[in-house]
Amino acid sequence: MVAFGKKLKARQIQEWQAYYINYKLMKKKVKQYAHQIEVGTLERRHVLKDFSRMLDNQIEKIVLFLLEQQGLLASKLAKLREQHDALEQQPEISQITELREGYRVVGYDLLKLLYFVEMNAIGLRKILKKFDKRFRYRFTDYYVKSRANHPYSQLQQVFKHVGLGAVVGAVSRNLHELQDCQGSYLSIYDPPALPLQDPVVDSIKAAVDRLTHSTNFLNFMAQHALIMQEDLPAPAEEQIDEERYHYVSLLLNLANTFLYMVNTYIIVPTADNYSMSLGAAATVCGIVIGAMAVAQVFSSVYFSAWSNRSYFRPLVFSSIVLFVGNAMYALAYDLNSLTMLLLGRLFCGFGSARAVNRRYISDCVPLKIRMQASAGFVSASALGMACGPALAGILQINFKIYKLTFNAMTLPGWVMAVAWIVYLIWLWFSFKEPSRDVEENNSPHAPDSETAEKNTLEKGLKQPLLITSEEQQEDDEDAEADGSEEVSQESRRPATSIASAYRLLTPSVKVQLLIYFMLKYAMEILLSESSVVTTYYFSWSTGTVAVFLACLGLTVLPVNIVVGSYISNMFEDRQILLASEIMVCVGILLSFHLIIPYSVPQYVCSGLIMFVSAEVLEGVNLSLLSRVMSSRLSRGTYNGGLLSTEAGTIARVIADATITMAGFLGQSQLLNITLLPSLLICVISIAATCFTYNSLY
């Protein structure tokens, strides 16, 4: 990663250079303060006072220039308004086109101003965080609260772009009115609103969303996929993205995600009965369910590596292997072979192409719709999780064709085998392999400077304001201190192994992966043993278990809507993180069977609390993880998505193995024995979160 000081200097709008935050000076000041405090020539309170005054001066410089530029934009808009009013009397298409171009020019000027604010906002956040890190003092909280809440706040101008909203509204509204050359003068405020088709309006909207650092449902859902953005892209990347993108291929990618999750959970309601029909104990269902996760630990790595060269071939391989695995799973009943059953589930796990699904979205979907595609990936997973058990509940029929038996236990295998064959045919004829040499064969004609500047602004302003971690900051300091190109190049290289990827993790990221491990372990215990536990305590039928599991799965999207749209805007991520962990712990405690007779309301309520809290925890944890993980883990085979997948998959493997081992003690002890490790891991994760509380945000 290039040091921020160098990046700021390289990306400054030259004519505005004197009005940017003097990041280099302030960084030197922080080092100077540290030295003076160390030798005893300066007191801490004087440092805080002097640094606060320096920040105030820098912000005032930025804000006064910002107000001046807003005035110039307002003046241009007033003149365009006069022309607009004149056109209403005698509209002419040529003049409408000219007027629209005038508003677009103002729109690009506004993008430049938003980019100016963005770079200064990043600089302020970075220097505040650097100050806190150097002096171990929560100065940022004090400074932001004291300045942002003041009635004469200048900081609000930078972090909340106060005043720019009117300019954004004027440009958007007038371009909307003029988007039809025949003169459709419908207002953006009139329902039903017409879509804003001008790209500059989309760019402005994306810039405003990023600048306010707003959290909405779509953005919140997208971060669950842990498809991490790298740094601000080069201007040529937008054309590359467009050439790689193919809508039907994206749909096929999401369909693979959906079908795989259905495949994972469709056997959960019937796995215990299937195991008993083959002469094994009911708790062997843990091994049957977990076999798929065992294989996925390995398949995630080779599929991630394979996606470096192709997307089509691994998806074809995945479909074929999953067809074979499901056919073996279904045939195990007539062959009376538990080995065949386990091998079938192992084959299904070897066909897990989730690493390819993530990689395709990251590499081949244009940046402007990547957030929607990432949210689609998460939604497809959630719907598959709900549809799997629901489908198992429907397949309650029994018949034979020749020597093949079709019943509640074998039909999930047969249905999924047919589904994968249909998917394979669709994939074969419709998937378009993205070009790998598009960068080399890109157009030889370089765009003119004005177009390049516009592309840079449109692209740059769609990125998160700050994707960083402690390690990235250390890379910044090293690169800037040494002035070495080798250090900068080293900081860009992806990890070359799981071990090297692990070494890139900061303590706070390791804690978050522990939290992810914990929640996946707790959820797998709840889901995988549900059929055995409910049959033992309540004599539930397969259909009842399927309805219960489907209802749990259907809570995923509503919970994320509430958290992403409301709760995340009212509380900090670290607060939601800790509260969710505590609620998971409460759900686990309520699930124990101790003295009173175990009842359906106790099981359902405790399971719902545990599952919903784990879903909230997963969303916030991955949202936070996507912002603080090293940028070197955003690319290559051993990326952040692979690490999180491996952590979750290993948790599922251990959980399913725990269920089977606990089964040797009898079904009466199964519930409490399997809940004990969940409780222990949950308590450890809460303690780790509290210990690293300040570094998690």
Side-chain angles (χ1 to χ4, degrees), residues 205-503:
K205 184 179 182 299
V208 171
D209 286 344
R210 291 270 64 86
L211 196 53
T212 55
H213 204 60
S214 61
T215 302
N216 54 43
F217 167 60
L218 190 63
N219 186 49
F220 184 76
M221 283 289 288
Q223 289 173 321
H224 289 32
L226 208 65
I227 296 170
M228 299 166 56
Q229 307 293 341
E230 298 185 23
D231 210 348
L232 294 177
E237 289 185 8
E238 185 168 5
Q239 182 180 352
I240 295 170
D241 281 346
E242 292 291 347
E243 293 187 23
R244 284 172 173 264
Y245 176 60
H246 183 234
Y247 177 71
V248 175
S249 299
L250 175 60
L251 286 182
L252 283 161
N253 190 64
L254 296 178
N256 184 280
T257 301
F258 171 77
L259 286 176
Y260 184 78
M261 292 304 290
V262 172
N263 210 146
T264 300
Y265 289 98
I266 194 172
I267 72 155
V268 173
T270 58
D272 57 336
N273 291 333
Y274 206 164
S275 300
M276 289 189 294
S277 71
L278 298 179
T283 51
V284 173
C285 70
I287 293 296
V288 175
I289 296 170
M292 197 167 176
V294 170
Q296 191 179 344
V297 171
F298 304 98
S299 67
S300 296
V301 177
Y302 68 71
F303 269 113
S304 182
W306 200 350
S307 64
N308 290 328
R309 302 186 301 275
S310 174
Y311 300 101
F312 176 68
R313 291 188 183 90
L315 289 177
V316 169
F317 177 78
S318 166
S319 305
I320 294 172
V321 171
L322 280 158
F323 165 75
V324 173
N326 282 289
M328 292 174 66
Y329 180 85
L331 288 170
Y333 184 86
D334 292 307
L335 295 175
N336 195 29
S337 172
L338 183 63
T339 302
M340 178 72 78
L341 186 74
L342 294 174
L343 285 175
R345 288 295 286 179
L346 281 171
F347 263 74
C348 290
F350 284 126
S352 172
R354 287 177 69 80
V356 180
N357 302 147
R358 277 195 178 97
R359 189 72 175 273
Y360 183 86
I361 295 173
S362 176
D363 292 350
C364 304
V365 176
L367 193 62
K368 61 185 178 183
I369 63 166
R370 194 172 299 164
M371 182 174 66
Q372 291 91 324
S374 300
F377 173 84
V378 177
S379 301
S381 299
L383 290 174
M385 181 181 179
C387 288
L391 190 58
I394 296 172
L395 300 175
Q396 299 298 306
I397 52 178
N398 192 350
F399 62 94
K400 291 193 71 169
I401 299 178
Y402 296 106
K403 295 183 179 181
L404 297 179
T405 303
F406 298 87
N407 57 26
M409 292 171 283
T410 63
L411 275 172
W414 291 121
V415 168
M416 292 311 304
V418 171
W420 285 113
I421 282 292
V422 172
Y423 174 79
L424 179 61
I425 295 171
W426 183 24
L427 179 76
W428 188 268
F429 289 102
S430 302
F431 190 87
K432 179 182 177 182
E433 180 76 83
S435 174
R436 293 281 172 174
D437 58 351
V438 69
E439 294 176 6
E440 296 175 4
N441 300 329
N442 204 11
S443 175
H445 302 290
D448 57 67
S449 59
E450 182 180 357
T451 303
E453 182 181 7
K454 290 179 180 180
N455 288 339
T456 303
L457 289 169
E458 290 185 23
K459 289 285 285 176
L461 282 166
K462 293 180 183 179
Q463 304 306 305
L465 283 184
L466 186 59
I467 300 177
T468 186
S469 66
E470 292 177 3
E471 189 211 21
Q472 287 175 309
Q473 290 184 0
E474 291 169 3
D475 286 342
D476 287 353
E477 292 170 359
D478 292 341
E480 202 162 348
D482 298 337
S484 171
E485 184 64 25
E486 293 180 1
V487 174
S488 179
Q489 289 296 330
E490 176 64 27
S491 68
R492 294 191 187 98
R493 292 173 185 167
T496 55
S497 66
I498 288 285
S500 63
Y502 183 80
R503 286 194 294 271

Side-chain angles (χ1 to χ4, degrees), residues 467-653:
I467 300 177
T468 186
S469 66
E470 292 177 3
E471 189 211 21
Q472 287 175 309
Q473 290 184 0
E474 291 169 3
D475 286 342
D476 287 353
E477 292 170 359
D478 292 341
E480 202 162 348
D482 298 337
S484 171
E485 184 64 25
E486 293 180 1
V487 174
S488 179
Q489 289 296 330
E490 176 64 27
S491 68
R492 294 191 187 98
R493 292 173 185 167
T496 55
S497 66
I498 288 285
S500 63
Y502 183 80
R503 286 194 294 271
L504 291 174
L505 303 181
T506 63
S508 62
V509 174
K510 291 177 182 177
V511 169
Q512 286 171 266
L513 287 177
L514 171 64
I515 294 171
Y516 191 65
F517 177 92
M518 178 273 293
L519 67 91
K520 285 297 183 183
Y521 183 93
M523 289 172 68
E524 189 71 10
I525 289 289
L526 172 66
L527 298 175
S528 295
E529 72 178 14
S530 59
S531 183
V532 179
V533 170
T534 55
T535 300
Y536 177 79
Y537 286 105
F538 317 126
S539 300
W540 279 7
S541 66
T542 299
T544 307
V545 177
V547 170
F548 172 68
L549 294 177
C551 289
L552 285 182
L554 288 174
T555 63
V556 173
L557 292 180
V559 165
N560 280 289
I561 290 174
V562 173
V563 176
S565 300
Y566 302 104
I567 296 178
S568 292
N569 291 323
M570 294 187 288
F571 302 98
E572 294 181 358
D573 282 353
R574 55 184 178 181
Q575 295 172 325
I576 305 173
L577 193 76
L578 188 58
S580 301
E581 287 182 88
I582 294 172
M583 288 306 298
V584 171
C585 190
V586 170
I588 294 172
L589 288 171
L590 292 176
S591 298
F592 278 93
H593 177 210
L594 298 175
I595 301 172
I596 61 174
Y598 207 55
S599 65
V600 172
Q602 180 186 352
Y603 177 77
V604 171
C605 291
S606 60
L608 190 63
I609 291 172
M610 189 193 310
F611 188 85
V612 169
S613 301
E615 279 299 322
V616 174
L617 181 59
E618 180 176 3
V620 177
N621 188 53
L622 290 181
S623 174
L624 193 57
L625 193 59
S626 67
R627 296 204 299 267
V628 301
M629 192 173 279
S630 170
S631 63
R632 291 177 63 184
L633 295 175
S634 65
R635 61 184 83 89
T637 300
Y638 305 96
N639 52 61
L642 177 64
L643 289 181
S644 65
T645 299
E646 293 291 82
T649 304
I650 291 171
R652 291 172 52 208
V653 170

Side-chain angles (χ1 to χ4, degrees), residues 3-54:
F4 176 74
K6 293 181 178 179
K7 184 191 300 181
L8 178 63
K9 184 177 180 181
R11 297 185 176 178
Q12 285 177 353
I13 299 170
Q14 292 303 313
E15 59 268 28
W16 295 353
Q17 191 171 3
Y19 303 102
Y20 282 88
I21 181 175
N22 196 333
Y23 181 80
K24 188 175 181 180
L25 172 65
M26 300 186 76
K27 184 178 174 183
K28 286 182 179 178
K29 268 289 187 182
V30 170
K31 293 180 180 179
Q32 184 180 338
Y33 290 146
H35 176 71
Q36 289 175 328
I37 289 177
E38 186 179 345
V39 298
T41 59
L42 195 63
E43 294 182 6
R44 183 179 291 269
R45 60 189 181 90
H46 289 137
V47 168
L48 297 177
K49 183 178 179 180
D50 190 53
F51 191 66
S52 296
R53 183 165 56 250
M54 181 183 297

